[in-house]
Amino acid sequence: ETLLARLRRAVGPGDPRLALAESRLRGAAMDREALAEARRLASAGQAQEAVARYREAFGGATPPEPLAVEFYTVLAGTEPGWASARQALAELAARRPGDPQFQLALGRILTYREPSRAEGIATLRRLAADPRVGSAATAAWRQAVIWLGTGRSAIPELEAFLARNPGDAGMAQRLAEARAAPTGEPAPGDLARQRGFEALEANRSRDAEAQFQAALAANRDDADALAGLGILRLRQGRAEEARALLERAVAAAPARAQQWRQALDGASYVTELAEARAAMRAGRTEAAEAALRQAVAREVPDRADAEALLGDILLRRGEAAAAEARYRAALARRPDFGPASAGLERALRDQGRIAEAEELAR
C-alpha cells in the first residue's frame, strides 16, 4: 500500500499502469479459499452462486485484471449477467488490443446467444489463426458451429470450419448430414437440440433438460441431445446417469465420439472413484485398486483424489516407492492436498528417507 501511494504521487491518477498495479495488488490480497469455492461452483454449473463467491473473493463487483476473463466468462453464463459481461470484455479488449485473451473470451460468450452467434463465430475464426490462442479459439469455434445443428442453414459454417480443419472426422460427418437434410424449416428436434445447448451454456438447467428431452422424443438416438443431457447430468452431480447417456451418444455416432470423450471421462472418473471408496470401506482392496487404476487413466482436470487413494493402497501393501510416485502425482495437480502430503511423508519414512520426510513435515 505504501508503494502504491508513492506510485500515485509519481505518475498521477490517469496513468493506465497505475490501474493495472492496483488491480494486481487486489489480486494478490484475494481470499484464496473463496476463489477455490467459486471455481468449484462454476465447474458444477452453479454460475449464479459462483458469481457471488467470486465477488466475495475479490471484494467488489469488478474483478482484478488477472481474473477478468475467468470471472466474466462465468458471469456470461447467468441470465442477468450476459450483457454486463459482454460490455466489460468488449471494453477490456479495446483497452488491451495486443492481448488476444480478452477477444477470445468475448468471442466465446457472443456465441452463447443466437442473435450474436454469427459475430462470435467470426471472431473465433479470426483468432484461430493467432498462435497465442489458436487452439482454444478453434475449440470454441467448433463448439459454436455444433450448436448450429445439422440443418442446411449450417452448411456454410461447417464448410468454413472444415476448410481450416480438414482432418476433423466428426465435423465432416455433420456436414454430410447437413447436406442430406431436407430443404425448408429445421425439424422440431433440431430446434429443440439447439435451444438445449443454448440453455446449457447459459446455465438454465431446467430449460436445457426440457429441450434435450424434446429432441430425444423426436429421435431417441439423437447423439448430440444425448450428449447434452449427459453433460447436464454431470453438472448436476448425477454421474451414473451422465455416464450412461454419454455412452449412448458415443454408440449412436462413433465418428464424433472424441468431442464427448472429455465429458465421458469426467463422468466415468466420478463413478469409478465412488466405486473405489465403497470397495475400500467394505475391505475389498483389489476391487478398489482396479477401479482407481481406471480412474487415474481418465483425461480429467484433477485426478488427485484417485492418485492419493491408490497411493494409500500401495503403501499398505509395502510398495512405498510406487506409493510415493502416486502421492507426488496427486500433489502435482493439487499442491495443497493434505492427504497426499501426509501419505508422501509416510512413504518417505518407509523408505528410510527420514530427513526428506521431516523437511516435508516442517
Side-chain angles (χ1 to χ4, degrees):
E1 289 288 355
T2 302
L3 285 168
L4 192 60
R6 287 174 59 192
L7 281 170
R8 289 193 185 103
R9 291 194 299 271
V11 302
D15 193 306
R17 294 171 298 176
L18 181 61
L20 182 59
E22 290 172 336
S23 176
R24 289 183 173 167
L25 182 62
R26 286 177 57 211
M30 200 181 313
D31 181 341
R32 298 291 161 182
E33 288 187 10
L35 178 60
E37 175 66 6
R39 286 170 169 163
R40 187 194 67 77
L41 290 166
S43 67
Q46 298 172 258
Q48 200 73 48
E49 296 86 346
V51 166
R53 289 297 278 161
Y54 272 113
R55 285 177 169 153
E56 285 179 32
F58 50 69
T62 306
E65 189 166 298
L67 273 184
V69 167
E70 179 179 332
F71 172 72
Y72 288 124
T73 300
V74 176
L75 181 64
T78 67
E79 192 63 30
W82 184 85
S84 299
R86 176 182 181 171
Q87 180 178 348
L89 285 170
E91 290 172 356
L92 285 165
R95 283 207 306 268
R96 301 281 296 279
D99 186 343
Q101 293 293 341
F102 296 117
Q103 299 170 52
L104 173 60
L106 178 60
R108 183 181 284 122
I109 72 163
L110 288 173
T111 67
Y112 289 1
R113 303 291 174 93
E114 195 279 330
S116 60
R117 183 163 295 143
E119 180 186 354
I121 287 174
T123 299
L124 295 171
R125 185 191 303 124
R126 173 175 55 80
L127 291 172
D130 187 327
R132 294 170 294 176
V133 293
S135 179
T138 299
W141 176 19
R142 186 183 195 279
Q143 184 58 69
V145 174
I146 286 173
W147 291 333
L148 299 176
T150 51
R152 297 191 68 81
S153 61
I155 291 175
E157 289 298 346
L158 284 162
E159 289 177 337
F161 184 86
L162 282 164
R164 297 266 288 277
N165 304 275
D168 192 321
M171 297 299 270
Q173 182 174 333
R174 295 185 75 87
L175 178 58
E177 292 172 11
R179 285 171 172 165
T183 56
E185 289 297 313
D190 291 340
L191 286 173
R193 184 199 320 109
Q194 183 173 334
R195 289 170 183 153
F197 277 110
E198 289 172 2
L200 184 67
E201 282 303 316
N203 285 296
R204 302 195 313 271
S205 299
R206 189 174 300 174
D207 291 346
E209 179 164 359
Q211 294 296 339
F212 288 136
Q213 295 287 15
L216 290 169
N219 174 12
R220 68 182 303 276
D221 293 321
D222 183 327
D224 288 323
L226 286 166
L229 188 56
I231 292 167
L232 176 62
R233 291 286 183 257
L234 188 56
R235 288 185 182 181
Q236 293 170 331
R238 296 157 66 175
E240 285 282 5
E241 292 177 59
R243 184 178 184 176
L245 287 161
L246 289 160
E247 285 174 347
R248 282 178 60 193
V250 169
R256 302 209 305 272
Q258 195 54 42
Q259 70 190 57
W260 306 309
R261 183 62 59 192
Q262 185 177 9
L264 179 55
D265 272 350
S268 299
Y269 174 83
V270 171
T271 57
E272 286 157 0
L273 185 60
E275 289 167 8
R277 283 176 168 151
M280 289 176 76
R281 286 194 297 271
R284 295 184 292 112
T285 306
E286 288 185 6
E289 183 177 354
L292 289 168
R293 288 195 181 278
Q294 287 182 311
V296 298
R298 300 289 180 187
E299 288 297 326
V300 293
D302 186 353
R303 300 192 294 267
D305 291 285
E307 294 279 13
L309 285 173
L310 188 53
D312 290 345
I313 290 174
L314 293 167
L315 194 60
R316 289 177 200 166
R317 208 159 60 207
E319 299 178 28
E324 177 190 350
R326 292 298 178 180
Y327 291 132
R328 290 195 186 280
L331 290 167
R333 295 178 180 277
R334 204 185 303 167
D336 57 352
F337 190 26
S341 294
L344 178 58
E345 183 189 345
R346 293 195 307 274
L348 291 170
R349 290 187 187 280
D350 284 3
Q351 295 176 77
R353 294 154 62 185
I354 305 304
E356 290 179 68
E358 289 180 351
E359 179 61 28
L360 180 64
R362 280 195 294 274

